[in-house]
C-alpha cells in the first residue's frame, strides 16, 4: 500500500513536531473506536454476574476509559490537548466468543479530531478489565482495536469497511 500524503508529525528535516492547527476551523468532531478482550468462559461469567472480587468490572472500566480519553495528550506525545464535550463507552458481553466488546465515542468542537481519544479510551477500558480479572485469568487477550468512524474537519468523514 502506498501513501500519497506525508506523515504530518515530521517537519521537512524529519524532526518530530506537534502539528500546527491554529489555522484550522473549529468544527464539531466525533470518533468511535472499538476493541475486544477475550477470556476464559469462567472469567466472563464472573464479569456478567458482577461477582469479580473487585466488584463491577465494566462500571470501573467505563470510568477508566473516560479518564483515559481526557488524558490522551499526556500519554501520546504529539497529541493536542482537547476540550472534550462528550465521551461515552459501552460494552457488549459476547458469550459465544468468551469476550467483551468495547465501543468508545469521543466528541469535541475544535480544530483537530478525536480519533486518538476514542482509541485510547477503548484500550484503557480493556486494560482495566484485564487488571481487574488477571487474578483468575492471566491469558486474556486484547484484540481488534480499530477506528470505526470519524466525522468533522477538513478531511470529512471516515467509516471503516466491514
Amino acid at each position: 500500500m502506498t501513501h500519497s500524503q506525508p506523515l504530518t508529525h515530521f517537519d521537512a528535516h524529519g524532526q518530530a513536531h506537534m502539528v500546527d492547527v491554529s489555522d484550522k476551523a473549529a468544527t464539531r468532531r466525533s470518533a468511535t473506536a472499538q476493541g475486544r478482550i477475550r477470556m476464559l468462559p469462567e472469567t466472563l461469567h464472573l464479569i456478567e454476574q458482577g461477582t469479580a472480587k473487585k466488584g463491577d468490572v465494566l462500571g470501573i472500566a467505563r470510568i477508566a476509559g473516560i479518564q483515559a480519553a481526557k488524558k490522551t495528550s499526556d500519554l501520546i506525545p504529539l497529541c493536542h490537548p482537547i476540550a472534550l464535550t462528550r465521551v461515552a463507552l459501552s460494552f457488549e458481553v459476547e458469550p459465544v466468543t468468551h469476550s467483551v466488546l468495547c465501543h468508545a465515542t469521543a466528541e469535541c468542537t475544535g480544530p483537530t479530531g478525536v480519533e486518538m481519544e476514542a482509541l485510547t479510551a477503548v484500550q484503557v477500558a480493556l486494560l482495566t478489565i484485564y487488571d481487574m480479572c488477571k487474578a483468575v485469568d492471566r491469558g486474556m487477550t486484547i484484540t481488534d482495536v480499530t477506528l470505526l468512524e470519524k466525522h468533522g474537519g477538513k478531511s470529512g468523514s471516515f467509516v471503516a469497511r466491514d
Side-chain angles (χ1 to χ4, degrees), residues 1-40:
M1 174 188 251
T2 60
H3 298 280
S4 59
Q5 296 197 357
L7 297 175
T8 57
H9 288 90
F10 294 96
D11 64 17
H13 305 289
Q15 301 297 311
H17 71 101
M18 185 180 248
V19 175
D20 182 358
V21 297
S22 60
D23 292 332
K24 293 174 81 177
T27 61
R28 184 161 186 252
R29 297 162 186 265
S30 67
T32 300
Q34 78 173 14
R36 176 184 322 276
I37 185 166
R38 297 182 195 282
M39 61 196 67
L40 294 171

Side-chain angles (χ1 to χ4, degrees), residues 56-150:
D56 180 9
V57 173
L58 299 183
I60 299 299
R62 179 176 289 107
I63 298 300
I66 292 168
Q67 259 187 301
K70 293 173 10 180
K71 295 287 190 178
T72 299
S73 67
D74 292 339
L75 300 169
I76 311 295
L78 301 178
C79 275
H80 292 84
I82 293 178
L84 294 167
T85 56
R86 178 175 174 260
V87 178
L89 279 84
S90 64
F91 299 95
E92 295 172 39
V93 174
E94 299 182 331
V96 173
T97 60
H98 315 297
S99 63
V100 176
L101 182 66
C102 174
H103 285 92
T105 299
E107 296 178 356
C108 77
T109 298
T112 190
V114 288
E115 297 96 309
M116 295 306 299
E117 287 71 15
L119 287 161
T120 300
V122 164
Q123 295 193 67
V124 170
L126 295 175
L127 284 168
T128 300
I129 293 170
Y130 185 94
D131 180 53
M132 293 185 74
C133 298
K134 70 181 183 266
V136 296
D137 187 357
R138 293 197 188 273
M140 290 175 283
T141 303
I142 295 171
T143 186
D144 303 325
V145 176
T146 188
L147 179 68
L148 294 177
E149 60 185 271
K150 78 92 171 169

Side-chain angles (χ1 to χ4, degrees), residues 45-63:
H45 181 72
L46 286 173
I47 291 171
E48 284 182 293
Q49 300 304 311
T51 56
K53 286 186 178 182
K54 295 182 183 178
D56 180 9
V57 173
L58 299 183
I60 299 299
R62 179 176 289 107
I63 298 300

